Amino acid sequence: MLKLYRMLPSSSSSSSRNQLLQILSYRKLEVRDFSTSTNNYSAAKGYASDRIFAPYSVYKGKAAFSLSPCLPTFTKLDSGALVVDRRGSIMMSFMPAIGERKYDSDKKQRFALSATEVGSLIAMGPQDSCEFFHDPSMKSSNAGQVRKSLSIKPHSNGYFVSLNVVNTLLNTKDNFSVPVTTAEFAVMKTACSFALPHIMGWDRLTSPTNQQSSGKVSFQPKTNSHILDLEWEK
């Protein structure tokens, strides 16, 4: 901006220079506040960051939920090849309502949809339903201590998306039920269709942007790896 100021002709009036500086300053703010294309700047906080949060959220009277992709992590073999270390998922986060347009994030519960479960959601028709069950201790002596079930069932104007969580260790039961319209469900299906090859890691096979100029694969994480463990925090 200073360079442009010095390039102004000396005959220009002070008011003209001020107007130009105001226009440039306004345009700079406009790009800063509304651009979502940069990976290294956070306009809201004003600091550099590689973390990107772009969930799709549905808020209703009794509860709310959001969907967000969690990308896989990779391990490099001695041969130089990459293999998936942790599989990606679509993380669904549910929160109960505690008032009008207010939700309790302290009672958040999560459910991580695998690639196959995402495929079941995408394939659903207007009258179809599906249900998924998760148990972190399945096929062990601790099976059943924490159980989660996610169901999607049709109703007259769309679907009910419900999550049931039973924790026998804490002696708690949490239930969430969120009605979604056909339009909201269409967005969910389209977003999941877009994210599916990414949570499988297949985008790394086709995207040239994941390779550095030296020809080596970049290991910069697109999301924090600990996100994949968040489903079982409660």
Side-chain angles (χ1 to χ4, degrees):
M1 185 181 295
L2 181 59
K3 184 176 180 180
L4 288 173
Y5 180 86
R6 288 179 176 174
M7 290 174 63
L8 291 172
S10 58
S11 60
S12 299
S13 65
S14 175
S15 60
S16 298
R17 288 195 295 267
N18 290 337
Q19 289 177 355
L20 177 58
L21 289 174
Q22 289 175 359
I23 293 173
L24 292 173
S25 177
Y26 172 77
R27 288 181 176 175
K28 183 178 180 181
L29 285 171
E30 186 177 32
V31 172
R32 182 195 69 182
D33 292 341
F34 292 97
S35 175
T36 57
S37 61
T38 135
N39 291 336
N40 59 358
Y41 188 77
S42 173
K45 298 296 184 180
Y47 56 80
S49 173
D50 288 330
R51 301 176 66 186
I52 300 174
F53 300 95
Y56 175 66
S57 301
V58 177
Y59 299 97
K60 295 300 168 73
K62 294 183 178 180
F65 72 84
S66 64
L67 292 88
S68 184
C70 298
L71 301 185
T73 60
F74 297 83
T75 297
K76 192 171 186 179
L77 303 178
D78 293 338
S79 63
L82 288 177
V83 295
V84 174
D85 179 49
R86 291 292 303 271
R87 298 182 183 276
S89 65
I90 297 292
M91 186 67 74
M92 298 190 69
S93 300
F94 290 77
M95 294 184 296
I98 55 175
E100 186 176 358
R101 298 183 181 180
K102 294 181 180 179
Y103 301 88
D104 190 350
S105 60
D106 292 335
K107 295 183 178 179
K108 180 184 296 184
Q109 292 284 358
R110 299 177 177 88
F111 195 94
L113 294 172
S114 67
T116 302
E117 291 168 337
V118 170
S120 296
L121 186 153
I122 295 171
M124 287 182 63
Q127 299 302 319
D128 293 335
S129 62
C130 63
E131 190 165 8
F132 311 116
F133 298 90
H134 286 187
D135 185 337
S137 303
M138 187 177 293
K139 297 181 180 180
S140 74
S141 59
N142 296 323
Q145 291 182 344
V146 181
R147 303 188 307 274
K148 297 185 178 185
S149 63
L150 177 76
S151 66
I152 304 175
K153 299 180 179 180
H155 67 81
S156 57
N157 297 316
Y159 296 84
F160 279 111
V161 180
S162 304
L163 176 67
N164 177 268
V165 181
V166 177
N167 190 325
T168 59
L169 298 175
L170 300 177
N171 195 27
T172 60
K173 293 182 180 180
D174 294 297
N175 295 281
F176 308 85
S177 185
V178 182
V180 298
T181 65
T182 53
E184 291 166 337
F185 196 70
V187 173
M188 291 172 57
K189 293 175 66 173
T190 303
C192 285
S193 296
F194 173 81
L196 182 57
H198 295 270
I199 68 173
M200 295 172 62
W202 285 20
D203 61 314
R204 300 295 292 265
L205 299 173
T206 58
S207 176
T209 59
N210 289 318
Q211 305 227 344
Q212 297 175 342
S213 58
S214 61
K216 298 181 180 179
V217 176
S218 172
F219 285 90
Q220 291 294 328
K222 296 181 181 179
T223 58
N224 286 348
S225 59
H226 80 278
I227 290 178
L228 301 177
D229 300 318
L230 288 180
E231 180 183 348
W232 301 108
E233 278 191 346
K234 295 184 179 181

